[in-house]
């Protein structure tokens, strides 16, 4: 593993690191914030998954999460959103290819060779962090924005017992019925829609739900609101009687101005679960 940078941040350290990934077959980069408490021993961790077009850097520099994580003594992990580099399949559109891994394991060419972001975020990167940093693997929570919200919700519901809490900012909730989902799932996973269902938060909510606290914020002025499937997810929550909170924030759009406005709420929400 290589250290790209380390900066003192709210008494802790904001680092950026890279490593050779066996899962993706590429060099992968991630950000990791460790609060000062990590100098004394393992601390709880909140995974922060970014959205379309993003790298590890977007949430790390724009969400403002470090301030609140430092107050709560929580580590933050900022993974990349896809494999990258020469020889990695890409697409001219912003919502396919590099920067748009959708947190799944692709099964179709040319994507299957490198696009294994589910295994990377769920298995390989956690194992790497456990061996190198003061992270408490028994106390994990997950959040994400947009495509990252999709990843956070699907991982939380498909990996029972892994995460103590889940939250999302403007998540893609129903990709099997969305412009943000059907084209990408066809390309990455093929024509069998049964394979798509495992990556649809609304369908997973109807089938399994989440055994823990859940929080979602979406802006009423979100310019991509018609692609998110918020209403379908809310209906699935209600029909399942899923404990949780889904808030529509008046006037907010899809940007990091929205995310940073409510990041304190989300970090505090996760801290209650992680420290209980």
């Amino acid at each position: 593993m290589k250290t790209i940078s380390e900066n003192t941040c709210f008494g802790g350290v904001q680092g950026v690191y890279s490593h050779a990934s066996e899962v993706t077959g590429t060099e992968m980069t991630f950000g990791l914030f460790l609060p000062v408490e990590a100098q004394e021993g393992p601390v709880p961790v909140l995974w922060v998954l970014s959205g379309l077009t993003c790298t590890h850097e977007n949430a790390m520099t724009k969400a403002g999460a470090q301030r609140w994580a430092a107050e709560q003594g929580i580590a933050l992990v900022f993974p990349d959103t896809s494999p990258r580099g020469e020889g990695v399949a890409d697409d001219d559109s912003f919502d396919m290819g590099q920067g748009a891994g959708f947190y799944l394991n692709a099964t179709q060419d040319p994507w299957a060779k490198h696009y294994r972001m589910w295994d990377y975020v769920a298995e390989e990167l956690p194992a790497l962090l456990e061996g190198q940093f003061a992270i408490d693997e028994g106390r994990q929570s997950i959040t994400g924005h947009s495509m990252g919200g999709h990843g956070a919700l699907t991982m939380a519901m498909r990996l029972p017992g892994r995460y103590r809490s889940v939250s999302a900012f403007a998540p893609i909730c129903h990709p099997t019925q969305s412009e943000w989902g059907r084209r990408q799932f066809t390309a990455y996973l093929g024509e069998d829609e049964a394979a798509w269902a495992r990556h649809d938060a609304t369908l997973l909510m109807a089938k399994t739900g989440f055994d823990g606290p859940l929080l979602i914020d979406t802006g009423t002025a979100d310019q991509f609101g018609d692609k998110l499937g918020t209403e379908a997810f809310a209906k699935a929550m209600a029909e399942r009687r899923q404990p949780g909170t889904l808030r529509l924030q008046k006037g907010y759009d899809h940007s990091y101005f929205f995310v940073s406005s409510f990041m304190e709420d989300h970090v505090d929400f996760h801290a209650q679960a992680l420290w209980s």
Side-chain angles (χ1 to χ4, degrees), residues 27-121:
E27 191 81 2
M28 296 295 292
T29 301
F30 66 92
L32 173 66
F33 171 74
L34 289 173
V36 66
E37 288 85 352
Q39 297 176 13
E40 304 298 325
V43 295
V45 58
L46 175 61
W47 292 80
V48 185
L49 307 187
S50 290
L52 289 166
T53 76
C54 293
T55 69
H56 69 282
E57 189 174 18
N58 295 74
M60 185 181 79
T61 59
K62 296 180 180 180
Q66 292 90 339
R67 175 181 178 180
W68 314 117
E71 289 189 2
Q72 299 289 351
I74 293 171
L76 302 168
V77 183
F78 304 95
D80 203 347
T81 56
S82 77
R84 301 177 190 274
E86 187 175 351
V88 176
D90 202 4
D91 190 272
D92 290 336
S93 62
F94 77 96
D95 54 1
M96 278 283 294
Q98 295 186 36
F102 274 83
Y103 302 100
L104 51 76
N105 291 336
T107 59
Q108 307 298 303
D109 291 333
W111 313 103
K113 182 177 180 181
H114 299 295
Y115 283 74
R116 303 189 60 81
M117 291 303 294
W118 179 279
D119 284 352
Y120 179 71
V121 173

Side-chain angles (χ1 to χ4, degrees), residues 164-242:
R164 295 195 178 186
S165 52
V166 60
S167 75
F169 298 87
I172 300 172
C173 294
H174 203 12
T176 62
Q177 302 301 316
S178 167
E179 183 181 337
W180 275 354
R182 296 190 66 84
R183 184 174 77 93
Q184 293 86 346
F185 284 4
T186 300
Y188 291 145
L189 301 173
E191 300 285 349
D192 182 6
E193 296 194 16
W196 304 3
R198 301 171 71 243
H199 297 281
D200 187 301
T202 296
L203 299 181
L204 289 170
M205 175 55 66
K207 182 178 180 181
T208 64
F210 177 65
D211 186 19
L214 180 153
L215 171 64
I216 292 176
D217 278 313
T218 297
T220 61
D222 193 307
Q223 58 270 47
F224 305 112
D226 61 333
K227 298 179 173 67
L228 299 180
T230 307
E231 296 82 358
F233 188 80
K235 181 180 179 182
M237 281 185 66
E239 290 178 349
R240 188 173 183 82
R241 297 292 190 265
Q242 168 72 44

